[in-house]
Amino acid sequence: MTQSLLFLYLSALGFLLPVLAQGTCVINDFEVQTNFVPEQFSGLWHLAGYNRMMRPVTRLPPRIAKITTRYVKSLYALGEDGRGTIRSTGQVTVTLRDGHNFTRCEDVDFSTHMEQGSRPVMDLIQTTGRRQGALTRSHIVETDYANYAVRYTCEHELPNGACAPNKDHLWILRKDSAQFSLTDSQIRGFMERLCISGAYIESPMGPQCPFEDNQK
């Protein structure tokens, strides 16, 4: 399975919150979840929203006008030490410049390792797709384990300790079957607190893609 389309929901259209300027925030100064318990975090999480970049992270091929992804869900299976797997799937719609479009389900899988301490870091190593072997580092900024979680990722840290513009990712997650949702002011607070680039977009709920049987 390829991973590029699933991650290109960063090119989705629409703005729900105003754009925030990239600050000089040092990542190590961000307040994150302390005493994180990986086993309690395990389970099925749905993407409730994310930050859209002003400039797409990946340039689209010439034939493609836009790519949108909906109904993203991730299955976290973490052990006591934070080692485990994350399996993500979503419905991807590709619109070609000739007006044709097609929709399909795509998966992205990761293996995980949690660095323990007062500021635990979740290392994600991609195990499927074009970026297989790529390493990204995430912080669980806040979670109550049963309803919501806020995850932050920086793909490129600058020498001054801040994240490079358009290389930061905010993911608001909702636990399966939970009815919890964050308010606009709460989301804006997280974006300001983490110096997030771009604008926040809600991710719709709807028909879900199944996980591949051979990965169960």
Side-chain angles (χ1 to χ4, degrees), residues 43-104:
L44 184 62
W45 292 87
H46 299 269
L47 180 66
Y50 57 93
N51 64 310
R52 174 191 184 270
M53 303 302 182
M54 294 300 295
R55 292 172 295 193
V57 174
T58 303
R59 183 172 297 177
L60 296 176
R63 295 178 58 244
I64 297 178
K66 67 176 181 178
I67 297 174
T68 56
T69 300
R70 303 182 296 173
Y71 320 139
V72 177
K73 62 181 180 181
S74 298
L75 183 62
Y76 288 71
L78 306 177
E80 182 178 353
D81 61 355
R83 294 181 183 273
T85 59
I86 302 174
R87 296 168 51 203
S88 297
T89 187
Q91 184 185 95
V92 177
T93 299
V94 179
T95 302
L96 303 178
R97 295 195 181 278
D98 63 8
H100 292 85
N101 64 73
F102 60 90
T103 299
R104 67 190 185 196

Side-chain angles (χ1 to χ4, degrees), residues 48 147-148 172 174 178-184 186-187 202:
N147 295 288
Y148 78 99
I172 305 295
R174 180 183 61 78
Q179 300 300 314
F180 183 89
S181 62
L182 297 177
T183 65
D184 284 358
Q186 288 174 313
I187 293 168
E202 288 186 355

Side-chain angles (χ1 to χ4, degrees), residues 73 87 89-90 105-107 208-213 215-216:
K73 62 181 180 181
R87 296 168 51 203
T89 187
C105 294
E106 294 206 353
D107 298 345
Q208 299 178 11
C209 294
F211 288 108
E212 291 292 322
D213 291 340
Q215 295 177 342
K216 291 182 179 179

Side-chain angles (χ1 to χ4, degrees), residues 100-164:
H100 292 85
N101 64 73
F102 60 90
T103 299
R104 67 190 185 196
C105 294
E106 294 206 353
D107 298 345
V108 181
D109 300 328
F110 302 88
S111 63
T112 69
H113 174 262
M114 180 69 69
E115 293 185 9
Q116 302 298 322
S118 59
R119 294 181 56 82
V121 177
M122 182 182 292
D123 289 335
L124 309 178
I125 301 175
Q126 192 166 317
T127 57
T128 61
R130 190 176 65 179
R131 295 184 62 193
Q132 185 172 348
L135 170 67
T136 57
R137 315 196 78 194
S138 289
H139 288 287
I140 303 300
V141 176
E142 187 172 304
T143 184
D144 67 354
Y145 300 101
N147 295 288
Y148 78 99
V150 179
R151 201 181 100 189
Y152 169 84
T153 297
C154 176
E155 291 189 25
H156 178 65
E157 185 175 335
L158 298 173
N160 65 2
C163 191

Side-chain angles (χ1 to χ4, degrees), residues 189-211:
F190 281 117
M191 295 186 72
E192 293 174 350
R193 170 177 157 188
L194 300 170
C195 298
I196 293 295
S197 303
Y200 183 77
I201 303 245
E202 288 186 355
S203 181
M205 298 296 297
Q208 299 178 11
C209 294
F211 288 108

